[in-house]
Amino acid sequence: MCQGICVMNKHLEKAERYLQKGKLENALEELLLARKDEPKNESVVQSIADIYQRLNKLEECRQCYGFLFDIVSEKGEASRAADYIRKMQRLGAVEPRRLLRCAQLTESISPSDAEEFYRQVLQTPGSQDPQTALQCYVALARFQPNSLENHLRSASLALKLGKKAIAIASYQRIGELRAEVGRFDEAVEAMEEALRLSSNEFVYRISLAAICAKAGRSSRVIELLSDVTIESNNLDALRLLADANFKEKNLSKAEPIYWKLLDTSPNAIKPIIEMAIYCLQQNRTPEAISLLRKIEEYFAKSGREGDLRSVAEKISTIEFNSIPVLEHLTRLFDRFQMDTPLGEALHRLFPLYFESNQFDRAVELLERLIQLDQYDPGTSRKLDQLNGKIDPGQWKDLASRMGRTATTSDMLTADSAASDDPGKEPTTSIKPNESGSLTDLMLQAEIFLQYNLADKAKERLERIAKLFPGEEEANPSLRELYEKAGIRPLSTSPAASSTAQASSGHQGDIRAFLTRVSDISRNLSRQGNVKNVLSTAVNEIGKHWLASRCVIGLGAPGRSPSMVLEFISSEIPPSDPAQMGKLVMGLQQILSTHGSTLVADNLKSIPKLAPLAGTLSALQVKSLVALPLRDSDQQIGILILEQCEDRIWKSGELAGLEALSEQIVLSVSNVRLRNLMKALAVTDEESGMLHRDSYIPCLLAEAERMQSQKNSLTCVIIDFSPQANTSSAPLPDSYVKEITSSVVTHLRQNDIAIKYGPFSLAMLLPGTLTKDASAVVDKLRKLTASRVKPLPAISAAVAEAVKSEKMEAADVVTELINRLEFGLELARRDGKNQTSVLNPPHTSS
């Protein structure tokens, strides 16, 4: 062997000398002789390949590289194998088997290279067999698990080659991918194929059932899981089966499964609650009560009283006419001291007791209503219904508890009537108990004011004003209560013929109405959604204009209104929804042809209102004003003020209403625009703020709103970037999150926060002056200091937009942006924690 090595070395030495002299053919001859002595010597083969390449003998060179590839691939040297494959590719086409082997070797060290080699195998024309193609597609599916095409080709080839396991896995993944994009019908088809190939294996049945559930095929889910019993430990199968039975309204089958799931999954209580609500809505009273009791027991055992209260609140929005259900709900509402739902349930339960002649229970219910609110008009009407139906002494006791007394002669008359004619209801004259009633009402109003329940306090004080007109003049305590609540009572003199005549004196001064318009307009501009705008408008207008009712409806003429809100003064019954809808649509139709405000001091004098006579009579309306709500030339709604007594509408009142109708339209449009901007703008995932792309559109929208409402607009930029800090170290992400969180959580509802840069924020503050905005910046610095340690330097620029009717909104925004950028540079230059305030330049309006 030593002699062979010596001979090979001699050939190599000769080849080296020939190469130095440039005699490539002679060198090649010596190297080929050396290779005969040691055929697998890689360095010899590499040298031969190099000389072949220099002699332009490409095919012989490629064969040498192929030989070297086979050697290193057997050793598992992936990187060298890939190098030889690339060298071979520069010389010509490479065999698919070698590309496939190289792809398999490089999967672990370079998946991207392996993926490329697999694709090259598939692209080799006519060289790959189905088995090789299947291997490639299966591998590509591993690299790209979300590629539907690779899985489809894998499934097709696997079916042809009889590779069931691969075909099942491919169809399973195809179903999952199609389900992810909402193509549930196609997903079901793929899963059905996987189930067929698997010979109905249970795991694939569950997968198919899950997709069928998403596709809304509940009956198929029940069929697939028909052999699953409640004793099964497969929670996924049980959940799917329970949901499917619930959707198919098989409640008796779904309920026990949900209760079993509840042992391991607390969220299983949600569908049980939905089942109870469904039974309530379908008047399946026994099932509903049974479920409600079980739910109550479950929450009581698990100590989740808060969740039970949430269930009670959800149920309180549903109307029922079943005595057992209402009795159960009243007990539940009473347990959580939910006075409003309790009162509504009791009011619904009373007529059911009354119609079924259960007067003893009706009395018990009325006693509970008196405990809740003895001055509720509905409670008083129920007492009148019981007159003659119960013992007179018991009736008198209830009346006295409500602050009502009956004269002796009246009570004797009532007793006589009850004894002589049991079927006839006695008439008893009831008067306010002036000593007890006034004191009780004042005490209640004082308590409501103390606990910031302003609406209830005003309701009590308005009742006092009606029952005891002028009492505040002789009662300092009552006068003080009126002042605290901000109410000016109507002092009705004996000579006054009606409340409308008394109120006309307060409405005579047009300046007072203009002041009210200004206050109400500012209040409207603060609202964050359309419903709040309309609710504020009807309540403020109805209260200040002393109307019996104030109604605002949104919608085009000739169509049902999309939203209707109503203000009702005390002692005026609520409008019937159907009648109110007819009135809104009818008046809108009249206004669309009339073209202006409709004023009717006396309804009989307006022939145009004749078609609505029945509706107006049902609502007891005697006088009204209707104003169109117009956006440009399009009527978008209507504002109606109704008076249930004669009233002459003054010019000052009408001027104020016309101004407010325009403000309502402006506020609705601005709210919709602002909400649209927020909905369309993409928010930053970390902070929840709007992206920088929203900066200029939001500024333009707010500038237009500022000009239309003649209000102020201030913009602030806060910068805490490394340039603003003495330290050159970058700020941690936690700092940025804490600072942005401090800003977002302390802004008003109408303020807008924008992620201005990686370390800077912009705030748009409508209705704010520069001095107030500076105070906001100082407050945010203090808040940040309490949450971020150590506190980075925070520079800020504050600028108020120019108020000029001659400037376009775009020009206002451009000038404001330039001023803010200049101010931020000043703040950074002046030093740590500086605020640069730049007032708007003087411009002529």
Side-chain angles (χ1 to χ4, degrees):
M1 180 169 179
C2 182
Q3 184 178 0
I5 294 174
C6 292
V7 173
M8 185 185 72
N9 288 337
K10 287 180 181 181
H11 290 305
L12 293 177
E13 290 173 0
K14 285 184 180 181
E16 183 66 25
R17 287 195 295 270
Y18 284 134
L19 285 173
Q20 291 175 357
K21 295 177 182 179
K23 297 181 178 181
L24 300 180
E25 294 288 350
N26 295 332
L28 178 61
E29 184 178 349
E30 293 296 330
L31 287 172
L32 289 174
L33 291 172
R35 185 182 181 186
K36 288 182 179 180
D37 295 332
E38 193 172 342
K40 293 188 177 181
N41 190 305
E42 294 181 33
S43 61
V44 172
V45 178
Q46 179 66 54
S47 299
I48 293 172
D50 293 341
I51 293 176
Y52 276 139
Q53 191 167 10
R54 292 173 67 179
L55 292 172
N56 203 26
K57 295 183 178 182
L58 303 183
E59 179 60 29
E60 290 83 353
C61 178
R62 195 186 69 80
Q63 290 176 1
C64 290
Y65 284 138
F67 177 79
L68 291 171
F69 170 82
D70 294 338
I71 291 175
V72 297
S73 64
E74 288 178 4
K75 298 178 181 179
E77 299 180 13
S79 58
R80 292 183 65 194
D83 290 339
Y84 286 129
I85 283 292
R86 292 189 179 94
K87 289 179 179 180
M88 293 170 67
Q89 287 177 328
R90 286 195 288 269
L91 300 173
V94 181
E95 299 88 338
R97 64 177 182 82
R98 281 180 171 153
L99 284 172
L100 181 62
R101 177 57 182 157
C102 185
Q104 294 169 341
L105 286 172
T106 53
E107 273 193 38
S108 58
I109 63 169
S110 181
S112 59
D113 289 341
E115 183 179 348
E116 181 61 28
F117 287 135
Y118 280 123
R119 293 192 183 281
Q120 289 174 5
V121 174
L122 294 172
Q123 291 168 2
T124 304
S127 300
Q128 73 275 19
D129 59 284
Q131 182 65 41
T132 302
L134 178 60
Q135 285 183 276
C136 293
Y137 281 118
V138 170
L140 288 173
R142 287 199 305 271
F143 291 126
Q144 295 180 327
N146 294 330
S147 172
L148 185 61
E149 180 184 359
N150 290 334
H151 291 292
L152 284 169
R153 292 183 181 275
S154 297
S156 176
L157 288 169
L159 273 181
K160 290 179 181 178
L161 296 172
K163 306 285 186 179
K164 280 192 175 182
I166 296 176
I168 291 170
S170 298
Y171 279 118
Q172 184 84 356
R173 185 57 185 158
I174 291 168
E176 293 171 357
L177 291 174
R178 284 174 171 168
E180 287 175 4
V181 295
R183 296 163 61 182
F184 295 116
D185 291 338
E186 296 176 39
V188 169
E189 290 179 8
M191 290 291 195
E192 290 279 10
E193 185 65 19
L195 180 63
R196 183 186 67 80
L197 293 172
S198 69
S199 302
N200 209 32
E201 286 188 27
F202 184 69
V203 64
Y204 297 109
R205 278 196 284 146
I206 292 181
S207 299
L208 175 58
I211 299 298
C212 287
K214 293 179 181 179
R217 303 185 182 184
S218 303
S219 57
R220 178 57 174 154
V221 175
I222 296 173
E223 179 184 348
L224 288 166
L225 304 178
S226 58
D227 59 340
V228 176
T229 63
I230 196 170
E231 289 78 18
S232 173
N233 293 323
N234 193 313
L235 300 182
D236 291 335
L238 289 173
R239 178 181 55 79
L240 289 168
L241 186 59
D243 291 344
N245 278 304
F246 184 17
K247 289 179 180 178
E248 292 293 316
K249 309 309 178 194
N250 300 327
L251 304 189
S252 59
K253 295 181 179 179
E255 183 189 348
I257 302 177
Y258 281 130
W259 285 115
K260 177 175 181 178
L261 291 172
L262 202 57
D263 295 336
T264 54
S265 175
N267 287 331
I269 194 65
K270 292 180 181 179
I272 297 176
I273 295 170
E274 292 175 6
M275 288 173 61
I277 293 174
Y278 171 78
C279 291
L280 289 172
Q281 293 171 335
Q282 299 298 317
N283 292 323
R284 295 165 65 167
T285 302
E287 295 173 75
I289 293 178
S290 173
L291 282 169
L292 286 174
R293 286 174 179 166
K294 291 178 182 178
I295 292 168
E296 192 172 349
E297 290 174 5
Y298 169 76
F299 281 131
K301 288 180 181 178
S302 56
R304 295 165 61 184
E305 291 290 315
D307 292 333
L308 181 57
R309 181 185 178 91
S310 299
V311 174
E313 291 174 351
K314 191 173 184 179
I315 295 175
S316 67
T317 60
I318 306 172
E319 292 189 5
F320 311 105
N321 292 312
S322 168
I323 290 178
V325 171
L326 287 169
E327 286 177 340
H328 183 84
L329 292 180
T330 54
R331 183 180 59 80
L332 192 60
F333 296 149
D334 195 20
R335 172 178 177 178
F336 292 108
Q337 299 179 354
M338 299 167 63
D339 290 349
T340 301
L342 175 60
E344 293 174 355
L346 292 173
H347 279 297
R348 289 202 295 263
L349 191 54
F350 181 88
L352 299 178
Y353 283 154
F354 190 86
E355 292 169 4
S356 58
N357 295 327
Q358 300 183 53
F359 299 122
D360 291 340
R361 289 193 171 186
V363 169
E364 294 175 4
L365 187 147
L366 187 58
E367 288 177 345
R368 297 181 69 185
L369 284 172
I370 293 172
Q371 292 174 357
L372 286 176
D373 187 356
Q374 69 186 69
Y375 299 107
D376 184 355
T379 305
S380 182
R381 287 194 292 269
K382 288 175 174 54
L383 177 64
D384 292 337
Q385 284 183 268
L386 289 175
N387 196 352
K389 303 294 184 183
I390 61 176
D391 180 70
Q394 191 178 23
W395 188 92
K396 180 181 177 182
D397 180 60
L398 291 171
S400 64
R401 290 175 59 185
M402 295 176 61
R404 295 171 56 175
T405 60
T407 62
T408 304
S409 60
D410 288 338
M411 287 306 301
L412 288 174
T413 303
D415 293 346
S416 175
S419 60
D420 294 342
D421 188 1
K424 181 180 179 181
E425 294 185 10
T427 58
T428 307
S429 176
I430 303 300
K431 301 177 182 179
N433 185 337
E434 296 189 4
S435 60
S437 178
L438 177 61
T439 304
D440 291 346
L441 286 170
M442 287 177 61
L443 180 61
Q444 289 185 23
E446 189 171 357
I447 292 172
F448 288 143
L449 286 174
Q450 183 177 353
Y451 288 97
N452 296 321
L453 301 173
D455 292 339
K456 289 193 173 184
K458 287 182 179 180
E459 180 187 345
R460 295 298 185 271
L461 291 173
E462 288 171 358
R463 186 171 180 81
I464 291 174
K466 287 184 176 293
L467 291 175
F468 307 98
E471 179 67 22
E472 70 278 0
E473 298 176 3
N475 191 328
S477 299
L478 179 58
R479 188 163 58 249
E480 185 179 350
L481 277 177
Y482 281 138
E483 292 173 357
K484 285 183 180 179
I487 292 178
R488 290 184 296 176
L490 297 174
S491 299
T492 308
S493 64
S497 60
S498 66
T499 304
Q501 292 174 344
S503 64
S504 63
H506 296 286
Q507 300 164 343
D509 188 359
I510 191 170
R511 287 177 297 177
F513 282 102
L514 292 177
T515 303
R516 293 177 187 176
V517 168
S518 178
D519 294 340
I520 295 172
S521 297
R522 281 194 297 271
N523 201 3
L524 290 176
S525 66
R526 298 189 187 104
Q527 306 309 313
N529 56 58
V530 174
K531 185 175 181 180
N532 286 351
V533 170
L534 300 187
S535 177
T536 302
V538 293
N539 287 312
E540 294 289 339
I541 294 173
K543 178 178 67 176
H544 287 295
W545 266 254
L546 301 171
S548 300
R549 298 188 188 92
C550 179
V551 178
I552 293 182
L554 285 187
R559 297 183 180 180
S560 299
S562 59
M563 185 181 297
V564 178
L565 276 81
E566 180 184 36
F567 162 84
I568 308 166
S569 65
S570 56
E571 301 299 325
I572 298 296
S575 301
D576 178 70
Q579 298 289 353
M580 184 165 59
K582 290 180 182 178
L583 180 64
V584 169
M585 293 181 66
L587 288 177
Q588 268 196 293
Q589 195 63 36
I590 293 172
L591 289 181
S592 64
T593 55
H594 190 263
S596 62
T597 301
L598 175 64
V599 182
D601 296 333
N602 186 345
L603 299 184
K604 296 179 181 179
S605 63
I606 309 295
K608 296 177 181 178
L609 294 176
L612 298 174
T615 301
L616 293 169
S617 175
L619 296 173
Q620 303 177 7
V621 179
K622 295 185 178 180
S623 174
L624 66 79
V625 175
L627 298 93
L629 301 180
R630 297 186 183 277
D631 189 358
S632 299
D633 296 331
Q634 184 179 4
Q635 185 175 340
I636 65 167
I638 188 171
L639 168 63
I640 308 169
L641 271 74
E642 305 171 17
Q643 205 71 37
C644 294
E645 51 203 6
D646 294 335
R647 175 170 178 171
I648 298 175
W649 301 92
K650 304 295 183 181
S651 59
E653 298 173 335
L654 299 176
L657 289 173
E658 288 177 355
L660 278 176
S661 66
E662 295 178 2
Q663 290 299 322
I664 292 170
V665 173
L666 275 174
S667 297
V668 168
S669 299
N670 287 330
V671 164
R672 285 173 173 170
L673 176 61
R674 192 157 54 244
N675 291 341
L676 179 62
M677 292 291 294
K678 291 181 179 179
L680 294 178
V682 180
T683 57
D684 179 69
E685 294 181 0
E686 294 289 337
S687 63
M689 295 182 176
L690 299 180
H691 274 317
R692 175 66 183 269
D693 294 342
S694 306
Y695 179 52
I696 293 178
C698 288
L699 267 178
L700 284 170
E702 291 300 328
E704 291 174 357
R705 180 169 173 262
M706 173 195 75
Q707 291 180 331
S708 65
Q709 296 189 352
K710 294 181 172 54
N711 208 341
S712 57
L713 171 65
T714 300
C715 186
V716 179
I717 296 181
I718 297 176
D719 178 62
F720 45 92
S721 62
Q723 299 96 301
N725 292 274
T726 56
S727 173
S728 60
L731 294 174
D733 290 342
S734 59
Y735 277 27
V736 179
K737 291 179 182 179
E738 288 294 339
I739 293 173
T740 55
S741 175
S742 298
V743 173
V744 171
T745 55
H746 289 83
L747 291 181
R748 300 171 302 179
Q749 186 177 15
N750 290 338
D751 296 339
I752 300 175
I754 299 171
K755 191 74 175 293
Y756 191 74
F759 303 101
S760 56
L761 315 172
M763 296 186 296
L764 277 57
L765 309 175
T768 304
L769 300 175
T770 51
K771 61 177 183 179
D772 299 322
S774 300
V776 171
V777 173
D778 293 337
K779 180 180 178 182
L780 290 175
R781 280 199 182 103
K782 293 177 182 178
L783 288 169
T784 307
S786 64
R787 300 176 65 172
V788 178
K789 302 293 182 183
L791 178 66
I794 298 178
S795 301
V798 178
E800 183 180 346
V802 175
K803 297 179 184 177
S804 174
E805 295 180 357
K806 294 183 178 180
M807 292 180 67
E808 297 286 342
D811 297 332
V812 172
V813 169
T814 302
E815 190 279 332
L816 178 61
I817 291 174
N818 293 335
R819 193 149 36 94
L820 279 167
E821 293 290 345
F822 177 69
L824 190 59
E825 290 299 323
L826 287 178
R828 288 172 177 166
R829 189 177 60 196
D830 291 344
K832 186 176 181 181
N833 287 331
Q834 292 297 313
T835 301
S836 176
V837 179
L838 296 178
N839 292 316
H842 177 71
T843 58
S844 60
S845 298

